[in-house]
Amino acid sequence: MLKNISVIKDSLKSADFWAAFFLTEEQEELSFRKGVQEPIHHASDSGALITVMKNGGLGYGATQDLSASGLRAAALSALSWAEKFAERSILKSVKKPFSAHQGSYFSPKDQPLNQISLEEKLAILRLADQQLCSHPLIVDTGASLWSIVSISDYVNSEGANIHQEINRIIPSLSATANHDSVTQTRTLGGMRAFCRQGGFLAVQDLNLVEKAKSIAKDAVDLACADNCPAGTFDLLIDPDQMMLQIHESIGHPLELDRILGDERNYAGTSFVTLDMFGSYQYGSPLLNITFDPTINEEFASYGFDDEGSKATREFLIKDGLLVRPLGGAVAQARANMPGVANARSSSWNRPPIDRMANLNLEPGTSSFSEMLSSIEKGLYVRSNASWSIDDSRNKFQFGCEWGQLIENGRLTKIVRNPNYRGISASFWRNLKMVGNLETFLVMGTPYCGKGEPNQCIRVGHASPVCLFSAVDIFGGE
């Protein structure tokens, strides 16, 4: 992919800065539904994005033609756009923010799924789907395994040279049960939450067949359960729901380009303002949030972002205090404040923008039993089913697949359609207990949308079980 770099360099001698990002991706998705194998989906894609700065203007050119002539045309197009935008650019007073890092990153050593026989992968899914169909009340099932292999190279005029190879797996299981006009669906952690980096060993570690058994049982139990009661309770949240809580009410509000106003016409703004950093109490002293692309198996781990910045672990919220935004090199220069290496693009034909990567809630010291025993009246929820949050990422309402009442320190009756709502500031300040490492799970989502044109990107989230006090809870009927 790098053999024609000299063409780009020669074409952009008049530019103040240029960068070239090359990406090749190969995807495969295998699936069963109600015992029937569905068509195999396979896709491959490759291309390059050329970024140019000229007189403060920023321009892009993208192409799938990686020949010398194709790259030259993309480079000249990027230069032309940079020159056109220079007069009105918001970057005119910003110093060149890009780095000259050199290095590489590779996913954990594990055999990629594209090197495993089709028969072996299908056998695992077939057995899982059979377990999902194991009860007469089950009316629909699904089992799938999606894998993505990404290989990228980044070079720029400062001397950067970065190579990264990332293997991702995205398993999915679901069972839907019907009983007396009540229909309930239970999945593997909600929206493909058990996605991660790795290959065949990671799939085997997940033990999809055993998980399918419990998912089928849960779906039947929920179809036979009462509706969730309403009231103000303590709320014990499992990691597979905490990940969405973190994503929506911490991750998106802290994106620096959103805070600067870039996203307000599409994905919304943020209740967070620049003057809050260093002084705003976002949550209770138990709340510690890190940006950490260094956990190898987490879904959005990498060594360098798509602007060539080196990825390091950083606290965004420390002991409840807001300390740092999610902003890449360009946004940091605009805001004149430190951020993180999180300028990311969804593909070769999209420019990098400020995105979440691995956004984690650090574990505390409480065991699950300690949290449970402290609750007189509460609710335990698992796996996201629905979400809604306002344009400022402040007021929210979430629904979960699974609910179980907590009475006098014990888990009691299963309830269906549990929902809860709140306001980000008061909710996080009501964080009462944080689970220890034994309750901590590394998860993620392949579906995070933002940007114009839209970019759907992959995000990692890790969290322990967490306990919140005085939460408004209600049923779905």
Side-chain angles (χ1 to χ4, degrees), residues 232-259:
T232 302
F233 305 149
D234 284 351
L235 184 65
L236 190 63
I237 306 181
D238 202 69
D240 62 3
Q241 171 60 21
M242 279 301 303
M243 62 165 279
L244 190 75
Q245 185 70 58
I246 295 163
H247 184 100
E248 297 292 349
S249 67
I250 292 181
H252 281 309
L254 297 192
E255 289 165 340
L256 189 49
D257 60 352
R258 185 189 297 266
I259 295 170

Side-chain angles (χ1 to χ4, degrees), residues 6-261:
S6 60
V7 173
I8 298 172
K9 184 177 180 179
D10 291 342
S11 301
L12 298 174
K13 288 179 180 179
S14 66
D16 299 326
F17 168 86
W18 62 263
F21 175 73
F22 298 85
L23 176 68
T24 296
E25 281 198 340
E26 185 175 326
Q27 303 190 35
E28 178 187 73
E29 186 162 10
L30 310 174
S31 60
F32 282 79
R33 183 169 183 185
K34 296 180 69 176
V36 178
Q37 182 187 330
E38 297 191 304
I40 295 170
H41 174 76
H42 186 270
S44 59
D45 192 21
S46 62
L49 179 76
I50 312 297
T51 302
V52 173
M53 284 193 78
K54 175 75 174 185
N55 298 330
L58 193 62
Y60 302 99
T63 182
Q64 285 188 291
D65 181 356
L66 302 183
S67 68
S69 60
L71 291 173
R72 182 182 296 109
L76 293 176
S77 177
L79 177 61
S80 174
W81 283 113
E83 291 171 335
K84 289 175 183 177
F85 289 142
E87 184 179 342
R88 295 177 174 83
S89 174
I90 59 176
L91 302 176
K92 290 185 75 170
S93 60
V94 172
K95 292 182 179 180
K96 193 163 46 182
F98 303 104
S99 303
H101 293 296
Q102 298 188 7
S104 60
Y105 172 86
F106 299 88
S107 285
K109 291 183 179 179
D110 187 356
Q111 192 170 13
L113 286 185
N114 61 3
Q115 297 178 12
I116 303 299
S117 72
L118 183 62
E119 292 75 15
E120 198 165 0
K121 290 178 287 190
L122 289 173
I124 293 172
L125 289 178
R126 185 179 294 107
L127 287 172
D129 190 64
Q130 289 172 357
Q131 293 300 324
L132 292 168
C133 297
S134 61
H135 194 282
L137 292 182
I138 299 291
V139 295
D140 195 14
T141 65
S144 70
L145 183 58
W146 175 17
S147 62
I148 306 171
V149 177
S150 303
I151 301 174
S152 68
D153 288 283
Y154 174 91
V155 295
N156 70 23
S157 56
E158 301 294 293
N161 194 331
I162 296 163
H163 179 80
Q164 303 192 93
E165 297 185 13
I166 298 174
N167 299 320
R168 294 184 173 97
I169 60 165
I170 306 102
S172 178
L173 301 173
S174 69
T176 300
N178 177 267
H179 176 66
D180 289 344
S181 78
V182 174
T183 301
Q184 292 286 296
T185 297
R186 189 78 172 96
T187 67
L188 181 63
M191 299 168 291
R192 299 179 182 249
F194 280 81
C195 53
R196 62 190 305 169
Q197 289 190 24
F200 192 56
L201 288 176
V203 173
Q204 290 177 313
D205 288 345
L206 284 170
N207 203 342
L208 296 178
V209 176
E210 286 302 312
K211 283 186 169 63
K213 292 179 184 178
S214 61
I215 286 170
K217 182 181 184 304
D218 284 355
V220 172
D221 289 344
L222 287 168
C224 299
D226 292 334
N227 193 48
C228 179
T232 302
F233 305 149
D234 284 351
L235 184 65
L236 190 63
I237 306 181
D238 202 69
D240 62 3
Q241 171 60 21
M242 279 301 303
M243 62 165 279
L244 190 75
Q245 185 70 58
I246 295 163
H247 184 100
E248 297 292 349
S249 67
I250 292 181
H252 281 309
L254 297 192
E255 289 165 340
L256 189 49
D257 60 352
R258 185 189 297 266
I259 295 170
L260 292 170

Side-chain angles (χ1 to χ4, degrees), residues 200-453:
F200 192 56
L201 288 176
V203 173
Q204 290 177 313
D205 288 345
L206 284 170
N207 203 342
L208 296 178
V209 176
E210 286 302 312
K211 283 186 169 63
K213 292 179 184 178
S214 61
I215 286 170
K217 182 181 184 304
D218 284 355
V220 172
D221 289 344
L222 287 168
C224 299
D226 292 334
N227 193 48
C228 179
T232 302
F233 305 149
D234 284 351
L235 184 65
L236 190 63
I237 306 181
D238 202 69
D240 62 3
Q241 171 60 21
M242 279 301 303
M243 62 165 279
L244 190 75
Q245 185 70 58
I246 295 163
H247 184 100
E248 297 292 349
S249 67
I250 292 181
H252 281 309
L254 297 192
E255 289 165 340
L256 189 49
D257 60 352
R258 185 189 297 266
I259 295 170
L260 292 170
D262 295 0
E263 287 286 320
R264 77 184 98 187
N265 292 332
Y266 179 56
T269 182
S270 174
F271 74 92
V272 174
T273 57
L274 293 178
D275 60 357
M276 288 182 178
F277 291 93
S279 61
Y280 182 70
Q281 195 69 29
Y282 206 101
S284 83
L286 296 175
L287 180 62
N288 289 286
I289 299 292
T290 56
F291 169 86
D292 190 1
T294 69
I295 300 175
N296 282 343
E297 72 273 17
E298 200 163 355
F299 199 47
S301 290
Y302 50 82
F304 305 85
D305 74 4
D306 295 341
E307 287 179 341
S309 298
K310 186 174 176 58
T312 58
R313 181 177 184 266
E314 304 288 350
F315 275 90
L316 306 185
I317 299 173
K318 178 69 172 170
D319 301 328
L321 185 70
L322 181 62
V323 294
R324 186 183 291 253
L326 282 165
V330 172
Q332 290 174 44
R334 288 171 58 192
N336 192 28
M337 64 167 48
V340 296
N342 74 314
R344 306 171 62 210
S345 56
S346 63
S347 187
W348 57 268
N349 57 7
R350 296 289 187 270
I353 56 177
D354 292 342
R355 306 304 298 263
M356 284 174 268
N358 293 340
L359 194 64
N360 304 334
L361 197 155
E362 296 296 307
T365 60
S366 301
S367 68
F368 186 85
S369 60
E370 286 170 339
M371 288 187 283
L372 193 62
S373 63
S374 72
I375 302 169
E376 183 177 341
K377 181 182 180 182
L379 180 69
Y380 174 47
V381 293
R382 299 166 61 190
S383 305
N384 184 261
S386 65
W387 73 98
S388 176
I389 193 164
D390 69 13
D391 283 350
S392 297
R393 300 287 158 165
N394 196 17
K395 297 177 182 178
F396 63 81
Q397 177 175 306
F398 295 140
C400 299
E401 291 178 5
W402 175 273
Q404 195 164 5
L405 299 182
I406 303 170
E407 299 171 287
N408 299 317
R410 294 178 58 250
L411 288 168
T412 57
K413 187 168 70 170
I414 296 167
V415 292
R416 56 185 163 88
N417 302 325
N419 294 264
Y420 67 96
R421 56 190 161 212
I423 299 173
S424 293
S426 57
F427 179 81
W428 288 108
R429 290 171 189 167
N430 283 352
L431 178 60
K432 188 177 179 181
M433 299 177 78
V434 176
N436 58 21
L437 272 172
E438 291 183 359
T439 74
F440 187 80
L441 287 178
V442 174
M443 316 192 88
T445 175
Y447 306 121
C448 177
K450 180 184 168 185
E452 296 181 275

